[in-house]
Amino acid sequence: MRRTPRNSFSAVPEALTCRSLPSRRRSGRGAALGLLIVCGALIAAPAAAEDADDPTGEATLRCEALDDNRPQTPVAWLTESLQASHCYSFQARAVAIDALNVRTLALSHRIQDGVRQQVIQHLDGPSVNVERHARAGLWGWPGGRPAPADDASSPGEGADSADNPAPMPRRWAEHVASVYDITLDADKRVAGRDAVALTFTPKSGDRYRHQWWLDRDTGLLLKHVLRDNDDAILETFQITRLKTPKRYTRDVTVAPPQRDEGPDWQTGWLPEGMVEQPDTVKEEHEGRTRRLYSDGLSTVSVFVEAPAATTALATGVHRLGASAIAVERHDTADSWQVIAIGEVPPKLLGRIARSVTRTEADTESSDADGPA
């Protein structure tokens, strides 16, 4: 079975429509995580832009600008990892483990004429290939909060100002650093390669903890571990063999997102640092719309639809491996429901789902169409 998504990956590419939840159990959540991270679609990943930072135009990532000077700080390593994920072609073998499945995977990431070609193949269980061809990134972070003071003087990074804004990869890294405390351990080894480890601890304590291991030579992500608030491992993805990464020598062009008017609903509450991502308001099918929100690491997809649009799900919050699903129903003249999906604690996800309201114009239209 071949799946060829046309849009950018989210944190839960196999769960973006509730119709796919049964197949998600069969194919394994870990496979989606592997494709998401290793192929450079860092959760709602921003555009890796080095110049032309005007969000109304294109931007260019100059892969040749990546050099052999290794970063020294967490924010600098994060910036390097995003750039590397858009600039290296490679083949890899990996294992993905969660509460539902253990999967071995073959990964391919190529860059040709500025277009990223990403393929993941399951090597055990049902035959599943996932393929995506797309230009790099999204304008996910039009502005980032200041990074911690100890990162301000990272080698090769000038001071940011209104006239000299930080390039997009660093904006994303700064945003992550505003939401998570990040620690760096420089002497690690994964899949026979020297690595550095980054640990992300949420400052507010309301999200899960992430751990990344980055290849010291390239900046590519070799391993990711997700832990809950009790420090139990929810999910692990690890490269077991990284085959000859090759850096793209030309530029990668990033196009701005295409915005529409958006659906007639909004969230009334989001966790600190979690923001709506551009180009993610989609009409999944008749009667269903969604928005995507991210803090740079954790991502939540929110759908609003008629209750009949999906297989019936009980109201409340449900666990599915490392993910949670929150369902809220509104029994009005024009009944509607909210479904939120994300790798965040269930309590937090439920609060997001309960905060969704329809706009006044939409409510008036529904009342007018309802029975007298």
Side-chain angles (χ1 to χ4, degrees):
M1 175 174 60
R2 178 175 295 273
R3 298 173 182 171
T4 309
R6 291 177 298 172
N7 302 308
S8 296
F9 289 120
S10 75
V12 282
E14 292 190 62
L16 284 181
T17 63
C18 291
R19 290 184 187 275
S20 66
L21 290 176
S23 65
R24 185 168 179 261
R25 287 189 176 94
R26 291 193 299 269
S27 60
R29 174 62 186 86
L33 177 68
L35 180 63
L36 170 73
I37 294 175
V38 176
C39 290
L42 299 175
I43 302 173
E50 285 294 340
D51 55 18
D53 237 358
D54 180 356
T56 63
E58 292 187 339
T60 300
L61 170 64
R62 305 192 186 286
C63 293
E64 65 181 4
L66 289 172
D67 55 34
D68 295 330
N69 295 325
R70 294 295 84 195
Q72 301 298 316
T73 66
V75 166
W77 270 109
L78 275 179
T79 303
E80 181 88 353
S81 72
L82 182 59
Q83 293 173 325
S85 71
H86 290 79
C87 287
Y88 277 93
S89 296
F90 60 85
Q91 304 286 325
R93 290 290 188 271
V95 61
I97 306 169
D98 62 17
L100 301 174
N101 286 294
V102 176
R103 294 288 187 222
T104 51
L105 313 167
L107 306 173
S108 174
H109 184 261
R110 295 180 58 200
I111 303 172
Q112 185 172 357
D113 297 328
V115 175
R116 294 163 66 202
Q117 303 171 8
Q118 306 166 3
V119 179
I120 180 172
Q121 179 183 8
H122 291 224
L123 298 181
D124 50 14
S127 178
V128 177
N129 289 350
V130 181
E131 184 173 348
R132 176 180 181 245
H133 294 226
R135 291 196 176 273
L138 291 173
W139 291 95
W141 313 102
R145 299 181 184 181
D150 61 354
D151 282 321
S153 59
S154 298
E157 296 176 353
D160 303 334
S161 67
D163 297 328
N164 182 33
M168 193 64 71
R170 183 170 170 84
R171 292 189 194 181
W172 165 72
E174 290 172 350
H175 185 90
V176 173
S178 76
V179 180
Y180 295 84
D181 290 321
I182 310 174
T183 58
L184 173 66
D185 190 342
D187 297 318
K188 297 295 181 181
R189 193 164 175 82
V190 175
R193 301 180 68 92
D194 292 335
V196 300
L198 298 176
T199 299
F200 305 84
T201 303
K203 293 183 177 181
S204 60
D206 62 354
R207 267 155 278 193
Y208 293 143
R209 188 157 66 99
H210 297 255
Q211 292 175 286
W212 287 11
W213 285 258
L214 302 178
D215 182 35
R216 178 175 284 277
D217 288 339
T218 64
L220 292 170
L221 187 61
L222 298 175
K223 182 177 179 180
H224 172 260
V225 171
L226 183 68
R227 295 178 179 269
D228 67 15
N229 296 331
D230 295 323
D231 209 34
I233 295 177
L234 298 173
E235 214 166 44
T236 299
F237 171 84
Q238 181 173 332
I239 292 287
T240 57
R241 182 186 180 192
L242 182 63
K243 183 178 179 181
T244 319
K246 183 178 180 180
R247 190 171 65 189
Y248 188 60
T249 57
R250 298 167 60 188
D251 296 343
V252 175
T253 301
V254 183
Q258 300 297 316
R259 283 194 173 274
D260 55 31
E261 294 181 357
D264 293 325
W265 56 268
Q266 60 187 2
T267 52
W269 179 84
L270 289 169
E272 182 70 20
M274 188 163 284
V275 296
E276 183 179 349
Q277 296 301 291
D279 203 27
T280 61
V281 177
K282 301 294 181 186
E283 189 78 27
E284 295 297 319
H285 62 267
E286 185 177 356
R288 171 188 291 166
T289 55
R290 73 167 169 92
R291 283 188 168 108
L292 183 68
Y293 304 90
S294 177
D295 64 11
L297 293 182
S298 300
T299 304
V300 172
S301 294
V302 179
F303 304 83
V304 170
E305 63 181 20
T310 62
T311 302
L313 293 172
T315 300
V317 182
H318 314 272
R319 292 294 300 268
L320 183 63
S323 298
I325 304 171
V327 181
E328 288 291 320
R329 285 200 174 86
H330 299 266
D331 295 321
T332 62
D334 181 19
S335 296
W336 57 287
Q337 71 180 10
V338 178
I339 299 178
I341 304 173
E343 286 189 334
V344 296
K347 183 177 179 180
L348 184 148
L349 191 68
R351 184 175 177 184
I352 294 174
R354 290 191 298 272
S355 77
V356 173
T357 58
R358 300 177 82 170
T359 62
E360 182 177 351
D362 187 55
T363 302
E364 291 176 352
S365 174
S366 298
D367 291 343
D369 292 338

